[in-house]
Amino acid sequence: MTLDDLTKSSGEWLKGTGPESDIVMCSRIRLARNLADFPFTNRASRAEKAEIEAHATSAFAAAKLDLDYIDVNALSPLDRQFLVERQIISRELSSSEGPRGVALSSHENVAVMVNEEDHLRVQYMLSGFRLAEVWDAVNKIDDLLEEQLAFAYSPQLGYLTACPTNVGTGIRVGVLLHLPGLVQNKQIDKVFRALQKINLAVRGLYGEGSQASGDFYQISNQQTLGKSETELIRILTDVVPQVLHYERNARNTLLTERREHLHDQVSRAYGVLKTAQRISSEETMLLLSSVRMGINLGLIDDLSISVVNELFIQTQPAFLQKLGGKELGVEERNIARATYLRTRLSNGRQAPRHER
Amino acid sequence: MTCQHCAKPASVHLTERRQGERREIHLCAACARKAGLALPDSPPNLALDAVVQDLIVANVGELVGELAQIVCPGCGMKYMEFRASGRFGCPDDYRVFAVGLHGILTRYHGASRHVGKSPRPRTRAGDRLRLRAQLKAAVAREDYEEAARLRDQLKAEELHA
C-alpha cells in the first residue's frame, strides 16, 4: 500500500454506518504502551528509537496483525499532513523527529503509532456508536502485541506512560460527534460544561474547536488511573446517549419551528458546494456541516452520507495537493477544492471505488 | 454573512451597545481571535501541558527541595526537567520520583492505584526484553552480582530461543 493508494479510498470510519451514525461519526479507543527496557520517546536517542521501531515492526509481523508499516520519518511534510488529516497519525508524530511511523490496517480501522509520546499508541476506530466492539478489537490487538513485547507495567500504577496523565490503563475512549443542532441553538457550551464536570474532555475534529471544524466534537475520558477500561467505557456509553438526545431535540425544534429557514440554509449550502468556483476550507466545513444535517433530516435526498463524511477529509489541504500531484498555494487550493466538490457532488455521487 | 475585516465567512456575531446605539459585529474565527474575542462555540482550551505543570507545582510543595536533588540513574532525568516538561524520561522514573507523584496522580485521576488490565504471562521473547531491562537497571545501580546472574539467565534464554 502506498499513500497514493490511500487517496483512492477512505477509511471505514467514514462510511456512516453503525448505530446512531447520524450523529456519531465514529467510536475510537487508543491504548498507550511503552517497552519496559527503553527510555520514553522524548528521552530516547536516535539509535534507541530505531531499536524500538525494529522491536515494534517485528512484533506486528509476529502477531500476524496484517498491518502495513508507513515510515513517517521518510515522508515529505505534505504526506505527513495527509496522514494527520485522515486521523491516522497525530500532529505530534507528524512534527517530531527521528525513527517513527504508523502501522495501518487495510480499512484504516487499526493504526498503531510508533515513537509518538509513548512507544506505541494502539488505535482502533469504527463508524457509528460501537465502543464495546472497538474495545474488544483493540484489547485483542494489545494481547497479541503483549505476547511479543514486554510493556512497562507496575502492579500499583498499571501501564507506565511518558505523561502521568495517561498512566494506569493508558486508555483514551472517544467518540466523534456531529452537533450542528446544539451549535445553532447555542446550547453547546452548556453541554461542554456538563461534560467537563464529569471529567470528560471535549475537542474539535483536529483538536481545535469552533465551527471551523464542521461542528464536529470529540468527547473522551481524561482519567486513566483507578478505573478499569470497562468502567471508563461505561461512562461514555452512559453519557453519549444524553448528548444525542439533546442534539436530536435541537434538530427537531429547528425542523418544527424554523423549518423554512433550515431548509433554505441547507439548500443554499448544498447549492454553493455544488457550484462554487473557489472556496476556503473553513467555508467548506461550515457548509458541509449544514448539508450533513440536511441529509439526516430528510431535507436532501440525492446525496449519500458517506460522500459528505469523506468530503470533510477530502477537502483538506494535503488531500487536494496529493490529488493534484503537486504543492498548491492557498488560492490554488481554493480553486482545486471547488473543482473537486463540483465533481463529487454532481457526477456519480458515489464514493471513489475502493481498489487495493 | 462575511467577516468585516476580511472576506471570509463570519462565525462570530456580536451586538454591542454604546450610548444607546446598537452596533452589530460580524467576524470570522481568525479575526475574532485577533481581536481577543472568545469564541462562544469553542470547547474549553485543553492545554494539557499547562494542566500537568500546574498540578506538579501545586502538589509537591515543600518536597521540591528534596526532589530537586534526585536524578534517575537509568535515563538521567532530573526532577526539574520533569517539572518543566510534564513528561518522564523512562518507566523507572515512576519509582525514582515516587515521593512527588502521589499528590499529582490523586489530583488528576482521583486515584493512585491501577484498576484494570494487567499483562498476561508472556512468551520467551517478552521474557528476554524484561531480563534485559532488569540487567540494565542492575548495572545502573552497580549491583554487579545481580547483573551477572541476570546476564547468565539471559544467555540461557537466548540459547533456547
Side-chain angles (χ1 to χ4, degrees):
Chain A
M1 179 175 58
T2 68
L3 289 201
D4 290 332
D5 292 335
L6 286 183
T7 60
K8 299 192 193 90
S9 68
S10 65
E12 184 279 338
W13 66 276
L14 290 167
K15 287 289 166 282
T17 54
E20 321 284 5
S21 55
D22 56 333
I23 300 176
V24 186
M25 184 92 134
C26 70
S27 305
R28 130 161 87 180
I29 296 181
R30 73 113 170 95
L31 300 173
R33 298 289 185 259
N34 289 278
L35 305 191
D37 59 349
F38 287 92
F40 292 132
T41 311
N42 68 74
R43 203 83 183 171
S45 66
R46 223 189 148 77
E48 283 170 323
K49 283 190 203 172
E51 241 185 291
I52 293 161
E53 189 181 41
H55 280 302
T57 49
S58 48
F60 300 149
K64 300 192 174 61
L65 290 173
D66 201 15
L67 305 174
D68 282 305
Y69 189 72
I70 301 171
D71 176 359
V72 171
N73 197 36
L75 296 182
S76 68
L78 179 63
D79 284 343
R80 298 202 299 263
Q81 178 60 30
F82 173 71
L83 294 179
V84 173
E85 287 176 3
R86 280 181 98 89
Q87 308 268 321
I88 290 169
I89 67 170
S90 62
R91 279 180 206 274
E92 176 160 347
L93 190 81
S94 166
S95 62
S96 65
E97 285 180 343
R100 66 197 192 283
V102 63
L104 194 62
S105 69
S106 57
H107 298 288
E108 300 176 36
N109 300 104
V110 186
V112 186
M113 286 191 279
V114 177
N115 282 331
E116 212 248 19
E117 178 180 299
D118 295 298
H119 296 155
L120 297 181
R121 286 273 175 103
V122 186
Q123 167 177 288
Y124 198 92
M125 279 200 281
L126 275 178
S127 56
F129 190 32
R130 291 192 275 174
L131 284 171
E133 271 174 80
V134 172
W135 166 241
D136 286 345
V138 78
N139 190 26
K140 199 171 154 212
I141 295 166
D142 185 49
D143 285 345
L144 290 170
L145 290 175
E146 212 147 50
E147 283 175 19
Q148 308 298 327
L149 302 164
F151 290 144
Y153 177 87
S154 107
Q156 155 101 36
L157 293 175
Y159 292 93
L160 303 177
T161 52
C163 185
T165 55
N166 295 317
V167 77
T169 54
I171 199 172
R172 183 78 74 234
V173 186
V175 287
L176 182 60
L177 305 181
H178 186 224
L179 304 173
L182 288 169
V183 171
Q184 289 208 13
N185 78 4
K186 304 198 167 46
Q187 298 293 302
I188 195 100
D189 272 341
K190 249 190 226 170
V191 175
F192 289 159
R193 278 196 296 273
L195 292 172
Q196 261 195 315
K197 270 192 195 142
I198 53 169
N199 249 322
L200 296 176
V202 185
R203 294 177 303 141
L205 178 58
Y206 293 107
E208 81 284 21
S210 96
Q211 283 192 279
S213 53
D215 302 324
F216 282 104
Y217 296 93
Q218 307 182 57
I219 299 175
S220 60
N221 66 302
Q222 298 199 84
Q223 181 185 359
T224 55
L225 184 67
K227 282 199 172 71
S228 71
E229 292 83 354
T230 41
E231 284 177 280
L232 292 165
I233 291 164
R234 197 178 313 126
I235 294 175
L236 268 284
T237 48
D238 285 349
V239 168
V240 169
Q242 295 179 40
V243 179
L244 302 188
H245 176 72
Y246 291 134
E247 171 65 20
R248 293 219 170 89
N249 274 353
R251 290 182 185 188
N252 283 337
T253 308
L254 284 171
L255 208 51
T256 49
E257 291 173 14
R258 308 187 66 199
R259 190 183 178 94
E260 268 165 24
H261 172 90
L262 182 70
H263 202 164
D264 183 63
Q265 176 201 329
V266 165
S267 307
R268 279 168 187 272
Y270 194 19
V272 169
L273 290 171
K274 277 198 285 192
T275 56
Q277 299 297 309
R278 40 187 287 275
I279 189 164
S280 71
S281 175
E282 198 179 20
E283 187 179 1
T284 303
M285 296 292 265
L286 197 70
L287 299 180
L288 281 174
S289 177
S290 283
V291 168
R292 192 179 190 279
M293 178 164 65
I295 295 172
N296 285 326
L297 294 178
L299 301 171
I300 294 176
D301 57 9
D302 63 345
L303 182 62
S304 86
I305 198 83
S306 65
V307 170
V308 180
N309 287 349
E310 285 170 13
L311 286 174
F312 280 104
I313 305 299
Q314 298 177 344
T315 52
Q316 299 289 326
F319 180 89
L320 294 169
Q321 294 175 82
K322 290 286 291 175
L323 203 66
K326 58 177 178 187
E327 286 196 23
L328 303 170
V330 175
E331 188 51 31
E332 290 171 309
R333 287 206 299 270
N334 289 347
I335 293 167
R337 182 175 295 114
T339 308
Y340 186 71
L341 281 165
R342 289 200 309 276
T343 314
R344 287 298 300 280
L345 294 175
S346 58
N347 307 327
R349 297 190 177 102
Q350 298 305 308
R353 269 199 296 178
H354 293 253
E355 299 161 63
R356 291 217 181 241
Chain B
M1 195 76 69
T2 54
C3 174
Q4 292 169 343
H5 290 194
C6 63
K8 286 184 190 155
S11 59
V12 178
H13 312 279
L14 297 171
T15 310
E16 196 179 54
R17 257 177 221 284
R18 211 176 263 176
Q19 291 154 358
E21 259 183 66
R22 279 184 78 218
R23 197 165 67 103
E24 287 191 356
I25 301 170
H26 305 282
L27 298 169
C28 71
C31 291
R33 228 172 287 130
K34 257 183 245 162
L37 296 169
L39 298 183
D41 57 348
S42 61
N45 187 21
L46 244 167
L48 209 55
D49 287 350
V51 173
V52 178
Q53 282 155 21
D54 288 349
L55 276 175
I56 297 170
V57 174
N59 287 284
V60 295
E62 68 272 32
L63 291 170
V64 157
E66 183 188 334
L67 282 162
Q69 307 299 314
I70 305 177
V71 180
C72 172
C75 71
M77 188 85 171
K78 296 189 185 92
Y79 187 76
M80 287 310 181
E81 287 174 290
F82 165 62
R83 204 171 102 147
S85 69
R87 304 284 184 280
F88 279 133
C90 74
D92 229 21
D93 286 352
Y94 279 91
R95 196 178 47 77
V96 174
F97 301 114
V99 181
L101 201 59
H102 187 268
I104 296 168
L105 294 176
T106 312
R107 274 293 289 278
Y108 187 84
H109 297 287
S112 59
R113 236 196 134 75
H114 173 56
V115 179
K117 189 172 182 176
S118 57
R120 293 194 303 190
R122 278 178 312 278
T123 57
R124 289 184 175 275
D127 288 342
R128 290 203 302 280
L129 267 175
R130 175 58 51 98
L131 279 173
R132 241 173 262 148
Q134 287 171 349
L135 173 60
K136 207 173 153 189
V139 171
R141 62 174 188 270
E142 300 183 357
D143 184 349
Y144 297 115
E145 207 172 307
E146 173 73 357
R149 193 186 66 76
L150 289 165
R151 188 199 54 208
D152 292 345
Q153 204 181 334
L154 190 59
K155 253 187 205 160
E157 290 285 341
E158 272 165 0
L159 276 177
H160 282 126

